[in-house]
Amino acid sequence: MDQLRALRVFVRVIDEGSFASAARALDLAPAVVTRLVAELEDHLGARLINRTTRRLALTDIGEAYLERARRILSEVDEATALATSASTEPRGHLRVLVPPAIAVHQLAKHLPRFHKQFPQVTVELSSPGGVEAVDESFDITILHTRHPLDGDFVARRLARTEVILCASPEYLNRRGRPGHPDELREHDTLLPPRSELQRGIVFQRGAWGDDEPPGETHTLVPRKPVLATSHLDTNYAAALHGLGVAGLPSFLIEDALLEHALERVLPEWRLFSVDIWAAMPSRKHMPARTRAFLDFLLEVFGGEDRDPWLAAAGCETRVEVCGAAAPQAAAPAQALVEPLSAD
């Protein structure tokens, strides 16, 4: 008797509710299914299922045996997947939940390279809106947060993105380049419609580490913005077209900074940073396609607690800045501005 096969048939009979349904699900003859369960019972010397003309019912021994059988089959499947994944090319369908702004401004331009490396993997991106928690129905959830992650999942940091003030060179040439947060009162701003902004936006300048003396802080209560929206791409498009000064995450405006379509404003003053993570449900085994995509994300974004987009654009807060603004130094801070989850 093939005991492992008999175990699978026994479990499927219980799951399907009848021998006939199990036979159809397994593509076996009903007589084969009946025989395999009977052989298993003979091998164990115990009845597992009470059979009637209307329904099946597990015996007490059958209920205990079913629980162990499921556990054994799960371990066997995981061991098989683990062994085959090491030598099998990543393939299959990968489901990824991701905020729209990251999907549009980052993943889309890198996916052709991933497809070239792993042509047997198809990627389904779901971007319904802000992503605030890990969804176990997806292979990978990409999310950004200012707070520590908490939950029963596995997560890898992809990067840190800094929210910075920016505007088009045409707007700044016309209205001037502010040198202090107070000068923003004379500028048109693009802000989300959040009540917290009425209490002020907090700017910080200088060193703000554990081993550093505190730097300078400044709180600005902004005047009514010319555009109030929580949609990141709308603020981005409006800033590109010269409507005013916007606070946007670096991953979204990387290309615009590189092409000098946008310029950093008040580069010596810092607002806040957000961590970007790739998270997966807690599993003993990760499919080869999931591992391949995670490794690809870490390669693309760096996997470090730093902002790769400002570095690439030459606009890091602590170093020389791009555009016409003067080089200054600054460090981490907090601010009451647009949350990235509101995309």
Side-chain angles (χ1 to χ4, degrees):
M1 180 191 69
D2 185 339
Q3 189 171 0
L4 186 60
R5 185 188 187 199
L7 275 178
R8 292 192 185 279
V9 170
F10 165 65
V11 170
R12 182 55 68 92
V13 168
I14 301 305
D15 289 343
E16 297 292 336
S18 72
F19 284 82
S21 296
R24 286 192 295 271
L26 296 169
D27 196 23
L28 295 173
V32 173
V33 171
T34 302
R35 176 176 57 78
L36 286 171
V37 174
E39 288 179 354
L40 180 61
E41 290 178 323
D42 290 342
H43 175 75
L44 298 172
R47 180 175 289 276
L48 301 175
I49 303 174
N50 286 322
R51 304 159 177 81
T52 68
T53 56
R54 297 194 175 198
R55 66 186 184 91
L56 301 178
L58 285 168
T59 64
D60 291 341
I61 295 176
E63 288 184 0
Y65 190 76
L66 177 64
E67 181 181 349
R68 297 293 182 89
R70 291 191 191 280
R71 193 180 310 163
I72 291 169
L73 292 174
S74 176
E75 293 289 344
V76 169
D77 290 341
E78 286 190 4
T80 301
L82 182 64
T84 57
S85 65
S87 58
T88 302
E89 179 185 2
R91 63 180 64 245
H93 194 62
L94 185 75
R95 301 185 71 237
V96 181
L97 178 64
V98 58
I102 292 182
V104 171
H105 296 279
Q106 291 299 321
L107 286 188
K109 64 184 179 183
H110 295 298
L111 282 176
R113 182 154 60 93
F114 178 79
H115 178 66
K116 184 177 181 180
Q117 288 182 247
F118 305 102
Q120 301 303 316
V121 178
T122 57
V123 179
E124 175 188 342
L125 293 184
S126 180
S127 301
V131 179
E132 299 180 351
V134 178
D135 190 329
E136 293 191 355
S137 64
F138 290 86
D139 298 294
I140 291 182
T141 298
I142 298 176
L143 68 164
H144 35 44
T145 177
R146 295 174 62 184
H147 308 291
L149 292 180
D150 184 27
D152 184 21
F153 51 81
V154 177
R156 293 291 304 274
R157 182 197 302 274
L158 297 181
R160 173 166 46 83
T161 182
E162 187 173 339
V163 174
I164 67 170
L165 295 180
C166 58
S168 70
E170 291 76 14
Y171 170 87
L172 295 173
N173 289 337
R174 184 173 75 252
R175 299 291 298 274
R177 290 169 171 79
H180 190 275
D182 272 340
E183 296 178 29
L184 289 173
R185 301 180 194 277
E186 307 304 319
H187 282 264
D188 295 329
T189 55
L190 319 177
L191 299 172
R194 292 173 57 84
S195 60
E196 292 91 335
L197 287 173
Q198 303 309 311
R199 297 196 296 269
I201 302 173
V202 179
F203 294 81
Q204 292 185 349
R205 177 170 64 177
W208 285 87
D210 294 336
D211 300 325
E212 301 284 352
E216 177 185 356
T217 64
H218 184 83
T219 301
L220 170 71
V221 178
R223 68 176 187 176
K224 186 175 181 180
V226 295
L227 173 65
T229 176
S230 295
H231 192 262
L232 287 177
D233 272 315
T234 299
N235 271 336
Y236 173 61
L240 281 174
H241 288 84
L243 185 59
V245 179
L248 295 169
S250 58
F251 74 79
L252 189 151
I253 60 175
E254 175 195 19
D255 290 340
L257 291 174
L258 288 169
E259 296 165 2
H260 305 291
L262 287 177
E263 180 181 312
R264 186 167 182 179
V265 175
L266 295 174
E268 72 276 21
W269 293 88
R270 186 163 183 175
L271 298 178
F272 68 93
S273 296
V274 177
D275 293 319
I276 301 178
W277 301 85
M280 296 137 287
S282 296
R283 293 172 180 160
K284 293 182 180 179
H285 168 65
M286 183 186 300
R289 60 181 177 273
T290 304
R291 167 58 65 185
F293 193 70
L294 175 60
D295 290 344
F296 181 78
L297 292 176
L298 291 170
E299 177 189 347
V300 167
F301 297 120
E304 299 178 4
D305 184 17
R306 63 186 295 269
D307 189 318
W309 300 286
L310 289 186
C315 293
E316 288 183 291
T317 302
R318 292 180 179 269
V319 298
E320 291 287 326
V321 297
C322 61
Q328 298 285 347
Q334 302 291 321
L336 294 173
V337 294
E338 166 75 340
L340 296 189
S341 61
D343 186 12

